[in-house]
């Protein structure tokens, strides 16, 4: 039986596991991470992992909040081998790397987007399910909630999940869950934010979808939260990068401006000193020339 490498993500009472199937990859908050952990305390690219012939390794990529092992902050960019199981702490998030041989079902890395949504849904208090709401037409106010278990749903048609008289008897479009978000696959031309399309298109929070006499508004609270989270995390990382290194003296803060090297007063003193030196040199030159001429 083949050994599996598992990452368990724990925050409060929430816990999910994902099987690490790639030979190398990134764990972080950013959308390009191979395993996405959507919390502001996690850096966009927080950890890197690698499978080698001699074992499984990981390292911190110089994250803002750091990664702690046994209460000690690990050295950034230094590879650490995982022999069997290791527990890491990143503020209030716990990551448990382990190896196992059993056949317990876990999330796959292909489902990283779904995992990220689940983590957020379990840690965000307010409603987090995406939904379509009719904002114009005779069915204004009718809402179709895209619950977590729904992988795809049809609009229109006699047996569609969202079917009512103003829509045609045939299916007009299909909503499909894809990773962290949703796409719409129209049967005929529809309009998304006034642009016509007949191909599958990714839906974004706030999109207006016109199908015949009905206009829908697509709302995805988690997508909005993801964007807010990304912006918040980027601001924190920029602030952290601009702060002086511990032990490094910030002259602008530690000393009055009059004493800061290169300040206005320091420059004046330097100018006076140069003038004094020039005058002394000129005076010495005059004395020497006079002495020579008197010979």
């Amino acid at each position: 039986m083949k050994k599996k490498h598992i990452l368990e993500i724990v925050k409060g009472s929430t816990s999910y596991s994902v099987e690490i199937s790639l030979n190398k990859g990134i764990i972080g908050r950013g959308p390009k991470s191979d395993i996405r952990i959507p919390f502001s305390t996690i850096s966009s690219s927080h950890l890197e992992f690698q499978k080698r012939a001699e074992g499984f390794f990981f390292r911190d990529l110089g994250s803002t909040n750091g990664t702690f092992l046994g209460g000690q902050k690990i050295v950034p960019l230094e590879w650490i081998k995982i022999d069997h199981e290791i527990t890491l702490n990143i503020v209030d998030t716990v990551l448990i790397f382990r190896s196992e041989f059993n056949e317990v079902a876990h999330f796959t890395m292909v489902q990283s987007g779904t995992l990220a949504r689940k983590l957020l849904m379990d840690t965000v208090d307010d409603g987090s399910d995406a939904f379509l709401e009719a904002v114009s037409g005779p069915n204004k106010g009718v809402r179709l909630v895209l619950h977590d278990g729904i992988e795809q749903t049809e609009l229109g048609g006699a047996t569609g999940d969202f079917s009512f008289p103003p829509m045609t008897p045939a299916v007009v479009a299909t909503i499909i869950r894809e990773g962290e978000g949703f796409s719409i696959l129209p049967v005929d031309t529809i309009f998304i934010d006034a642009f016509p399309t007949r191909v599958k298109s990714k839906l974004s929070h706030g999109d207006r979808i016109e199908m015949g006499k009905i206009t829908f508004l697509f709302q995805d609270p988690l997508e909005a939260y993801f964007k807010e989270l990304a912006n918040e995390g980027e601001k924190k990382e920029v602030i952290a990068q601009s702060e002086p290194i511990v032990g490094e003296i910030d002259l602008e803060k530690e000393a009055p401006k009059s004493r800061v090297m290169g300040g206005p007063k320091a420059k004046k003193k330097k100018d006076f000193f140069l003038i004094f030196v020039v005058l002394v040199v000129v005076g010495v030159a005059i004395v020497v020339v006079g002495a020579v001429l008197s010979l």
Side-chain angles (χ1 to χ4, degrees), residues 34-190:
D34 298 290
I35 299 178
R36 190 173 187 188
I37 305 177
F39 303 134
S40 60
T41 51
I42 308 294
S43 291
S44 296
S45 297
H46 200 109
L47 297 171
E48 182 180 9
F49 63 84
Q50 278 189 9
K51 293 180 184 179
R52 305 176 187 173
E54 60 270 30
F56 189 89
F57 293 78
F58 79 94
R59 65 176 177 173
D60 183 284
L61 292 173
S63 61
T64 302
N65 291 315
T67 305
F68 292 78
L69 172 61
Q72 298 296 317
K73 185 176 182 179
I74 65 175
V75 179
L77 303 180
E78 186 175 286
W79 288 102
I80 297 176
K81 183 180 179 181
I82 301 174
D83 292 320
H84 174 63
E85 183 174 310
I86 198 169
T87 300
L88 305 176
N89 293 85
I90 304 172
V91 190
D92 57 350
T93 302
V94 179
L95 304 182
I96 304 172
F97 288 93
R98 65 176 183 271
S99 300
E100 60 182 37
F101 289 95
N102 59 42
E103 295 298 324
V104 177
H106 301 284
F107 278 99
T108 64
M109 294 186 67
V110 176
Q111 298 171 312
S112 180
T114 303
L115 170 63
R117 291 186 70 90
K118 280 187 171 293
L119 283 168
L120 275 184
M121 289 175 70
D122 287 354
T123 53
V124 178
D125 294 331
D126 48 357
S128 54
D129 283 325
F131 60 88
L132 281 171
E133 182 175 353
V135 293
S136 70
N139 295 88
K140 183 178 179 179
V142 176
R143 180 179 293 188
L144 171 64
V145 179
L146 302 171
H147 296 294
D148 184 53
I150 296 177
E151 292 301 320
Q152 67 177 47
T153 184
E154 294 179 340
L155 304 179
T159 59
D161 299 286
F162 203 101
S163 180
F164 34 80
M167 298 189 74
T168 62
V171 172
V172 177
T174 302
I175 303 294
I176 304 168
R177 182 186 298 274
E178 293 188 333
E180 295 172 6
F182 295 87
S183 295
I184 185 168
L185 178 62
V187 173
D188 206 342
T189 301
I190 63 172

